[in-house]
Amino acid sequence: MKNIYITLSLFILTALSVNAQNKSITDTIHQIKEVEITARGIKPVKMLDLNVPITYLPITVSTVSSNTLELRGITNLQDAMKFLPGAQMNTSYGAFQTLTVRGFSSAPIMVDGVRDERTTINSFPFSDLSDIESIELLKGPASVLYGHSVVGGMINIVRKTPTAKPVVNTRISYGSWENKQALMDFGGKLAGPVNYRANIFYADQDGWHDNGNKRFSGYFALGTQIDKTSSLNLRGGFKRDFYGTEIGLPPNMKSEVYNADGSVYLAKEQQQPGLNRKARYNSESDFFKNDGWNISLRYDKEFNKNMKLRNYFSFNYDDINYFGTETLSYLESSDPIYKHYYMSGSKKQYICLDSVYLSSPLRFSHIANMLRDQLELSGIFTTGNIKHNYLGGYAFSQMFRTSFNGYNNAPKNDPLNSEYDVYGPGLYSHVAVNDPHSMGYMETKFSKAIVTRDYTHGIYFQDLIEVSEKLKVMLAGRYDFYKYMRAYKLNEKGKPDALPTYNGKREFDTDDRDYYSVTNTSAFTYRAGLVYMPVEELSVYGSMASFFFPDRTFFSETTVYLDADGNRFEPTPGKQIYEPLKGFQAEIGTRYTYKNLLQATASVFFIRRNNEKKSLISGYTDPQDGKEKTVSAMIGRTDSKGFDLEVTFTPLAGIEFMAGYSYTDATITYSDAVIQRLKDNGMLDPNTNLYDGMRLAMVPKNTLFFAGSYRATKGIFKNAGVHFTTSYTDNVYKSLSKDMFYPAYWITDLGLSYSFGSGITLTGNVNNLFNEKYVNQSLGRQLVPSMPRNYLVSVSYKL
């Protein structure tokens, strides 16, 4: 780390010398940057690929620029989401993240227009934002543009572009809990017609929970104009990240806890008094590593002004290696040996609240190889006086993913038994609630490998029809073919099982498989929309769009399958079991732009997703063969309705205000008649509370933000600036059962900056200014307190 700072210091001194000799050039560049900030709302949206203004499209899109994030010291994707109302990034285990848009989770995330196929299957960590130009959020279904699983929307991370103009951007930062960051960003002409962009970022933070996060990433891009009609763009990046896992505080109890005399000690879901929010209960053996690299190549060929061909190839490799203490449990007894108890039915269950033990550590690793190729033809043609902006293409993607797991913990009476996946003196060790200290290490290995293959073929076409200056029509359709495969090996009982590993490592015999189980899904999706522009500054739009989410259920002999009406059916082994989740969105919106002073967008939407799947009960005795089985059914539907509003106002030079608000009412509906029949038949626990209009978990009804920045352009405070951000997140339920929720909270951040000239700027940010104590993640019932008031000071140099 010391070497990095020395290098940066030498580089800044060198850059200052260069800048002193080119002051007029520097001044010109700073003026261009001012224009970029002012005109942020009218930049083209790169994820849509059509060469038309955003005002022509019946689609709601939000953007946040790198300038907005850099000014506030934001390098994490979750922190950036506050500027994109209608979307939330939920984090668990310290860094696993899931994107939710308009109420629907597992929304795809793209980088430079290329989907990260992992995001529709599980949650995953994402790299820092040091190499981005902007983040774009497309709201509503977009299967017609990007294939399966785009239900509520998706985001696109746009990375920095190679440039012919010289770029030098360095930044060093220091903040609370030894938060150290360093950035180097270069760009310009490399050789002849080849331009480049290079970016290196390093961060090292002890963390307020002493989790010791470290991030190291790099990015390199080359761009060249081969001739007058064709160009080539090559990009690549890597990450080497380490995260401390987050398991939270000792769990809140699901029911009231009583003193020995029968008085209430803790109300339902009440946290134990006196807990240290900063305390860390993890084992010393916990770790979370994420390594990866990516490369992409884009070729553009313009045949004439009305026709262009593009081919975009990309490959991504990602490696997650995780071990976490996970569950903290209290000691319990049916005998009155502890001073507190709770009621388990009609009986008292005594509980020790003074300590917790490490009951269920978890070991796993995911390795994914993702390849994608997309060939597109776009351009313009006319029919009479009507202009058509068309885009058609073919997209292919595949993801080869292997998940290794080590879930078999040694028994309590023999925690040192190395025959198991997790063992050691730390396993089941007791940790004091009020003064936690590690009680020993744990060793881990892998015993199973789950091998999956994911293939998608998509053919699509869209046409933006300019009927007149005031009326635009969009018609689009897509057909997708999706295949999902999972490898099995027959175990000693002749039943399908995951593949065994070698010597507990992330290794297995690639030929040691008996068969693949396969599911195939095909679906047609569409978008149809109208845009009316009574005046140039105003557009009103409406659209209907559909989507599909493929089902990845594999046949099991120990499962009873029910259809949407609760009727039993017998699927064919190795074939698709359930229909894909399908649905639609209806949306009406408007955009207004007044010069460079005001940009506003508002939209109202309704989304419905049918064929929701749910596991109902385990331990059901099947009357056909007398065996105990799990019951699975596709018996629900999800509705989400609401509206979004965003405004950007720049009344004077150097002043900018932004605001956004989103209301989302997302619920899942079950048929009362079907639910009652399932309870009567013993296929659903009579105490299970499923009903019409259950509010979805982890979806706040109301979110909003206000942000502003001001930089003095004259007077005694010339080149000084101030900026703020205030955001609100409504309360959310942790699960559909509504037995646990996160309270609503406000967060305010404040910052100051001063430009010394010669490209040097000093910036200071105080985050969570009012020291709000809030929670937005947990592991089960173990709440993870969010960071209190903290600061970050940065010194940057820009050429």
Side-chain angles (χ1 to χ4, degrees), residues 492-550:
E492 62 277 4
K493 296 181 180 180
K495 302 294 185 182
D497 199 357
L499 307 181
T501 61
Y502 287 156
N503 300 320
K505 299 180 179 179
R506 295 191 298 176
E507 299 175 359
F508 64 96
D509 190 338
T510 56
D511 297 322
D512 193 13
R513 308 167 190 166
D514 290 316
Y515 64 87
Y516 273 99
S517 187
V518 180
T519 65
N520 290 285
T521 303
S522 60
F524 174 78
T525 53
Y526 66 86
R527 181 185 293 276
L530 290 173
V531 178
Y532 178 63
M533 304 175 64
V535 293
E536 184 179 356
E537 297 82 7
L538 177 66
S539 64
V540 180
Y541 59 91
S543 69
M544 288 286 295
S546 66
F547 60 85
F548 82 103
F549 199 110

Side-chain angles (χ1 to χ4, degrees), residues 317-376:
Y317 169 83
D318 190 80
D319 179 357
I320 290 174
N321 202 354
Y322 173 93
F323 176 67
T325 298
E326 303 253 338
T327 307
L328 301 173
S329 300
Y330 295 113
L331 293 171
E332 297 186 16
S333 175
S334 57
D335 298 322
I337 60 175
Y338 304 123
K339 62 182 180 180
H340 299 103
Y341 70 90
Y342 67 94
M343 298 304 298
S344 177
S346 59
K347 296 182 179 180
K348 293 180 180 180
Q349 185 72 5
Y350 291 87
I351 183 170
C352 175
L353 299 177
D354 297 329
S355 64
V356 289
Y357 69 96
L358 315 184
S359 58
S360 301
L362 196 62
R363 180 75 167 105
F364 63 81
S365 176
H366 302 306
I367 298 177
N369 294 275
M370 295 161 282
L371 182 148
R372 185 176 180 87
D373 191 71
Q374 189 164 313
L375 180 66
E376 291 183 343

Side-chain angles (χ1 to χ4, degrees), residues 139-154:
K139 299 180 182 180
S143 286
V144 73
L145 297 172
Y146 297 108
H148 68 84
S149 307
V150 191
V151 182
M154 65 192 308

Side-chain angles (χ1 to χ4, degrees), residues 85 139 590 600-603 643-647 659-663 703 705:
K139 299 180 182 180
T590 183
T601 303
S603 61
F643 63 90
D644 304 316
L645 173 66
E646 291 185 70
V647 178
Y661 171 73
S662 175
Y663 173 80
T703 59
F705 81 92

Side-chain angles (χ1 to χ4, degrees), residues 454-471:
D454 181 311
Y455 301 92
T456 303
H457 301 265
I459 303 172
Y460 55 93
F461 182 81
Q462 55 182 321
D463 187 10
L464 192 283
I465 306 167
E466 300 182 40
V467 179
S468 66
E469 289 187 2
K470 295 186 176 182
L471 183 62

Side-chain angles (χ1 to χ4, degrees), residues 722-743:
V722 61
H723 52 272
F724 75 92
T725 307
T726 296
S727 62
Y728 172 79
T729 302
D730 210 346
N731 65 71
V732 297
Y733 288 105
K734 179 68 168 60
S735 66
L736 284 177
S737 61
K738 295 186 178 181
D739 60 355
M740 181 177 175
F741 73 97
Y742 304 153

